[in-house]
Amino acid sequence: MQIQPFKLERYFAKYEFSARYLLCSSDCESLSVGDLLALEPGAEEALRRHWLGYTESPGAPSLRKEITRIYTSITPEEVLVFSGAEEAIFLFILAELKAGDHLIVHWPCYQSLFEVAKGMGVDVTLWVAREENGWQPDLDELKRLVRPETRAIIINTPHNPTGYLMPRSDFDELNRIALERGLVLFCDEVYRELEYDPADRLPAACDVNPGAVSLGVMSKTYGLAGLRIGWIATHRAEILNRIATLKDYTTICNSATSEFLSEIALRHREEIAGRNLQIIRQNLSLLDDFFSRHANRFEWIRPKAGPIAFPKLIAGDIDVFCDELVNESGVLLLPGTLYDHPGNHFRIGFARKNMPEALARLEKYLDN
Ligand SMILES: Cc1ncc(COP(=O)(O)O)c(C=O)c1O
C-alpha cells in the first residue's frame, strides 16, 4: 500500500500550533477536563478511581450503550469504538475493499475518505458536488457511476468543506440506490447534530439502511478532539467483525481515560452541541455581514450545517492569498487546493469563541 500525504493534515502540522488565529478549524470550541467533570457530581472522584489497564477492544460496554442513544435502532453490539474517526475510516476501507474493486466517493472531501482506497489499488471515482449546483451532488450522475465491480459509496453529510446538507428526499434516494445495488453506504456523519434548522437533520444512515455504516466522533459536534474517540454504527455484523479483527493491528483498544470522559460528554451531548451551535449561529451572522461587505472579493454559498464553509476568492490566487495572510496577520485559512479543488476556494471555520477576533484580523488585513 502506498498512501499519498494527507495535504490538509500536513498543512495543519505546519501552522496549527503556531498561527495566532485559526479561522479554518472544523472542530467546535473545546472544553477542559475540569469543565467536563463539572457536568456530573462525583465524576472527578470516579476519574481518580478509573482503572488504567487495557480496555475492551470494541469499546467499553457502557460507552457503546451511551453511543446508541444517538441512533434509533442500534444496539451496543452494533457499535465499534476507535481512536478517532480517522482510525475508523482507515480500517473500514482496509476491511471492505481490495485492489480492483470500485469505490464511489462524494467529493470534495476529507482526503482519507478516498486516498486510503487509492493507495490500496482500489479504482476510485469521485462523485463531484459542484458549486453551480449549490454543492448538491447529482443522483442521476451517481446512478451512471455505479458499475458491476462497485462495492461501496462513501458520502459526508453535513459536508466538509462546504457545509452542505443533503435534503431528506436525496438522502432517501441515495440509500435506495445503495440498497438496490447491494452497495455498502459509508456515511460520514461527524458533523451531525449541527444543523442550523433542527428540522433539516437527517436520520443516521444506519437507522434507515440495513446496508449502511454511520461514522461518528467526539471531535466535531462535541468539540472534544483531544479525546480521540470515534465510532461506527451498523447492523452489518460481518463488517464490524472484519474491522474488529484489523483493529488488533492498529490500536487494539482505546484510551481508558478518553472512553471515561467521552461517556460523560455523551450523557450531556445535547447541552454541549447546543452550546456549540449557539457559537456557530453568532459567528455565522458576523460572516453574513462580512461577506456582504466584501461581495466584490468573495462569493459564498451559506452553509446549512456544521462549523465550516467553502467561500471563493474572486480575484487572485488562493494559495498566495492564504500564505500571505497567515504570514502577515497570523490568520490561518485553508486553501481549497489542499482538497485538490481547482475553484479558488478556501475553508473558513466559525465554531470557535475567538472567531470574531480572527475575522476582525482578516478584515483589517483586507482593508490595508
Ligand atoms: C469529514 C471528516 N471525517 C473524519 C474526520 C476525522 O476526525 P478525527 O480527526 O476526529 O478522527 C474529519 C476531521 O476533520 C472530517 O472532517
Side-chain angles (χ1 to χ4, degrees):
M1 193 199 295
Q2 272 217 314
I3 312 182
Q4 294 303 309
F6 199 134
K7 291 184 183 170
L8 179 151
E9 298 297 348
R10 290 295 92 213
Y11 196 75
F12 268 128
K14 191 167 161 198
Y15 291 115
E16 188 172 6
F17 295 98
S18 58
R20 177 87 180 77
Y21 300 99
L22 299 183
L23 192 53
C24 55
S25 303
S26 63
D27 46 338
C28 291
E29 181 78 17
S30 200
L31 298 173
S32 69
V33 174
D35 293 337
L36 196 54
L37 293 175
L39 290 172
E40 271 182 21
E44 194 172 330
E45 193 43 42
L47 176 62
R48 249 183 247 282
R49 286 194 309 272
H50 199 68
W51 194 250
L52 291 178
Y54 278 111
T55 60
E56 291 191 39
S57 185
S62 53
L63 172 61
R64 286 189 287 151
K65 188 160 181 224
E66 206 51 55
I67 289 171
T68 63
R69 297 190 207 285
I70 297 170
Y71 308 100
T72 57
S73 66
I74 292 291
T75 65
E77 294 69 37
E78 294 173 319
V79 172
L80 199 50
V81 184
F82 300 89
S83 295
E86 186 72 315
E87 186 190 15
I89 293 169
F90 186 82
L91 291 183
F92 167 79
I93 290 167
L94 205 60
E96 291 309 300
L97 295 155
K98 59 180 184 323
D101 284 346
H102 180 235
L103 170 70
I104 298 172
V105 185
H106 176 193
W107 183 89
C109 68
Y110 191 63
Q111 190 176 339
S112 54
L113 294 173
F114 67 84
E115 197 70 68
V116 177
K118 260 176 134 176
M120 288 164 57
V122 172
D123 186 2
V124 176
T125 301
L126 302 177
W127 181 33
V128 178
R130 295 185 178 81
E131 187 188 19
E132 59 269 29
N133 298 334
W135 303 117
Q136 179 177 25
D138 180 342
L139 288 160
D140 289 329
E141 198 175 317
L142 177 70
K143 287 182 205 157
R144 289 195 294 275
L145 296 179
V146 177
R147 306 181 201 154
E149 64 277 19
T150 307
R151 287 288 318 274
I153 302 171
I154 296 184
I155 64 156
N156 169 218
T157 190
H159 186 236
N160 172 357
T162 64
Y164 176 76
L165 178 63
M166 220 173 251
R168 178 70 197 260
S169 53
D170 281 17
F171 188 67
D172 288 345
E173 172 71 2
L174 173 64
N175 277 290
R176 228 181 345 263
I177 293 169
L179 257 179
E180 275 170 14
R181 290 160 177 78
L183 307 174
V184 182
L185 179 71
F186 184 89
C187 190
D188 182 331
E189 298 166 0
V190 300
Y191 300 102
R192 194 161 169 263
E193 297 180 271
L194 288 180
E195 300 77 11
Y196 310 151
D197 179 350
D200 288 342
R201 182 170 307 160
L202 294 170
C206 63
D207 282 328
V208 291
N209 176 349
V213 176
S214 289
L215 176 71
V217 80
M218 295 309 296
S219 321
K220 309 299 179 183
T221 303
Y222 316 115
L224 298 169
L227 292 180
R228 308 309 301 132
I229 291 287
W231 59 87
I232 56 172
T234 180
H235 295 301
R236 300 278 301 267
E238 77 288 7
I239 295 183
L240 284 176
N241 285 338
R242 283 193 286 269
I243 298 177
T245 304
L246 285 178
K247 193 185 170 197
D248 294 341
Y249 288 98
T250 52
T251 55
I252 302 176
C253 66
N254 311 304
S255 147
T257 45
S258 288
E259 288 204 339
F260 176 89
L261 293 170
S262 295
E263 200 180 314
I264 294 181
L266 287 176
R267 274 200 289 274
H268 301 271
R269 69 175 225 279
E270 284 170 13
E271 182 185 335
I272 295 173
R275 178 204 71 151
N276 291 338
L277 205 45
Q278 198 182 342
I279 296 172
I280 287 175
R281 285 209 180 94
Q282 281 164 357
N283 289 341
L284 253 183
S285 77
L286 296 181
L287 279 183
D288 286 333
D289 294 345
F290 172 87
F291 284 118
S292 71
R293 281 197 299 278
H294 296 280
N296 59 334
R297 298 186 82 148
F298 305 109
E299 282 170 10
W300 89 313
I301 296 173
R302 199 178 198 271
K304 287 203 163 60
I308 48 180
F310 205 45
K312 179 177 182 164
L313 176 71
I314 295 170
D317 178 275
I318 193 59
D319 284 317
V320 175
F321 177 79
C322 292
D323 191 52
E324 289 180 356
L325 176 68
V326 70
N327 288 324
E328 290 173 30
S329 72
V331 176
L332 188 70
L333 293 173
L334 283 187
T337 48
L338 296 172
Y339 288 82
D340 287 332
H341 194 276
N344 225 37
H345 294 260
F346 59 94
R347 184 173 100 181
I348 192 161
F350 40 88
R352 298 280 179 90
K353 279 187 182 160
N354 74 345
M355 183 273 186
E357 203 184 335
L359 190 65
R361 279 285 173 143
L362 168 61
E363 189 148 35
K364 194 163 166 223
Y365 173 82
L366 293 173
D367 291 344
N368 276 337

